[in-house]
Amino acid sequence: MKHFLRVLAQFCVFLYCKFLWRTFKFVVRKVTGRCELQRICYNNKPGARRTLKIESSLKFSKSELLQSAVNVHPDLVEKTIDSIMALKKINPDTNPQLGISLQASLLQIVGYRNLVVEVEKLRREPYDCENLEHEEMLLKLWKTLRPESPLSGRISKQWCEIGFQGNDPKTDFRGMGLLGLYNLLYFAEHDKATALQVLHDSLQPKHRTISRGETSNISKIEWEKKKFDKAIGYSFAIVGINITDLAYSLLVSGALKTHLYNVAPEMPSLVHFQQTFCYLMQEFHRFWIEEDPCDIMEFNRVRNRFHKKVLKQLKNPDMALCPHFAASDLHLVNL
């Protein structure tokens, strides 16, 4: 009986989606004189709130033209908008803002898709020690993070000073390929002060400051032990590659659409993704100090909690990484 009711409920949902919803949209258009795309553009401010709704409307449309619009080449976006306006019988002269709004949102949609392809290509490209460009990037990373310490050789224990696992960093890039190196170098070059501070703190960790109100929950013995225990640090470069993996998963899952549609007026680019990485690195560092783990074996637990926290924040369509500050000042704001 339960199985029958479940099937019946699913069938009813199917009927609603297939017929009643389209009937409802037809009635609303007759009453308002506007199609769904017009209502979305006129009733929602620019950014993720508008673009996500336009993307959903196009994908689930019964028109092949509208369905294919989310996959067009960026150079064909303007022509596609003209075709959509003609299909919907909308006069561009009396609705000039509609075409502009649709074009901006469609550029964001196809730009996000292209960004996923670009990031995936970098992730799949392995680090090649025979490639001069790869080697130059790696050495530049060392010089940026350790300007006062010349590298004794390409293969050296010194690499552990910036958080690689062994004498040759190339083995650590296996999971994320060149994408991990690109992100680490971007962080070191474009937000050098923060990168150096995070590196320093990872090597010389400290407990987070406990407020007076929190001390009531800690016994005197625990408090004394906490004071003299050494806080747990982490390997800067390895964590950077791990956070690259986190940023990558947010991108391919679509969770980053909220952020990128809010910060990129048109097409999201690799720079937007790298700025997101800078933010995640800084915020993870703060989160690690807040969590104050007992040992490095707790890394996966802390990372998973941080991941869930970011996902929760990005569910708000008005949330974005603030684009008006340097990477070191990035923070989530409610637009």
Side-chain angles (χ1 to χ4, degrees), residues 22 57-71:
R22 287 178 179 172
S57 178
L58 294 174
K59 282 184 177 180
F60 295 104
S61 172
K62 61 181 180 180
S63 166
E64 290 186 8
L65 171 63
L66 298 184
Q67 290 177 10
S68 62
V70 297
N71 296 315

Side-chain angles (χ1 to χ4, degrees), residues 5 30 67 82 88 90 208 215 220 224 303 313:
L5 291 175
K30 289 297 183 182
Q67 290 177 10
D82 292 339
K88 294 293 184 178
I90 300 172
R208 72 181 178 91
T215 58
K220 186 176 180 180
E224 290 297 326
R303 181 192 184 278
Q313 291 170 319

Side-chain angles (χ1 to χ4, degrees), residues 130-315:
E130 300 297 325
N131 188 310
L132 184 59
E133 184 180 351
H134 295 186
E135 288 285 284
E136 287 177 350
M137 288 175 63
L138 182 60
L139 293 175
K140 187 182 293 185
L141 177 65
W142 172 266
K143 291 176 182 177
T144 306
L145 294 176
R146 279 285 184 263
E148 305 298 329
S149 303
L151 195 62
S152 61
R154 171 60 181 78
I155 308 297
S156 171
K157 290 182 179 181
Q158 288 177 280
W159 289 111
C160 296
E161 295 178 21
I162 60 173
F164 287 103
Q165 288 182 325
N167 297 346
D168 191 351
K170 75 173 184 179
T171 58
D172 294 325
F173 293 118
R174 287 173 183 167
M176 285 287 107
L178 274 191
L179 184 63
L181 178 56
Y182 266 69
N183 279 351
L184 283 170
L185 185 57
Y186 184 91
F187 186 34
E189 287 189 318
H190 291 81
D191 197 9
K192 186 174 181 178
T194 304
L196 290 174
Q197 185 63 55
V198 171
L199 173 61
H200 176 271
D201 291 347
S202 71
L203 295 170
Q204 301 180 39
K206 55 187 177 182
H207 292 294
R208 72 181 178 91
T209 304
I210 300 178
S211 65
R212 184 176 297 178
E214 291 178 284
T215 58
S216 59
N217 299 323
I218 303 176
S219 68
K220 186 176 180 180
I221 296 175
E222 290 176 325
W223 170 247
E224 290 297 326
K225 185 176 184 298
K226 193 79 168 175
K227 270 175 49 177
F228 293 105
D229 275 352
K230 185 178 180 182
I232 303 302
Y234 55 79
S235 300
F236 175 85
I238 295 299
V239 168
I241 295 171
N242 199 289
I243 296 301
T244 292
D245 177 65
L246 190 151
Y248 168 78
S249 68
L250 291 173
L251 180 73
V252 298
S253 69
L256 268 188
K257 286 180 179 180
T258 301
H259 160 61
L260 292 178
Y261 288 168
N262 280 328
V263 299
E266 292 188 343
M267 294 181 64
S269 65
L270 183 61
V271 170
H272 291 109
F273 178 76
Q274 292 174 314
Q275 289 172 344
T276 303
F277 168 78
C278 293
Y279 163 79
L280 292 173
M281 275 293 287
Q282 182 179 354
E283 287 302 301
F284 178 80
H285 178 64
R286 292 175 182 171
F287 192 77
W288 179 265
I289 295 173
E290 285 292 319
E291 288 292 300
D292 202 5
C294 296
D295 55 57
I296 196 63
M297 299 303 292
E298 289 196 70
F299 177 82
N300 286 335
R301 176 190 66 80
V302 176
R303 181 192 184 278
N304 289 338
R305 289 197 62 186
F306 178 70
H307 190 184
K308 289 177 181 178
K309 176 186 175 183
V310 175
L311 282 174
K312 184 178 180 180
Q313 291 170 319
L314 291 175
K315 284 182 179 179

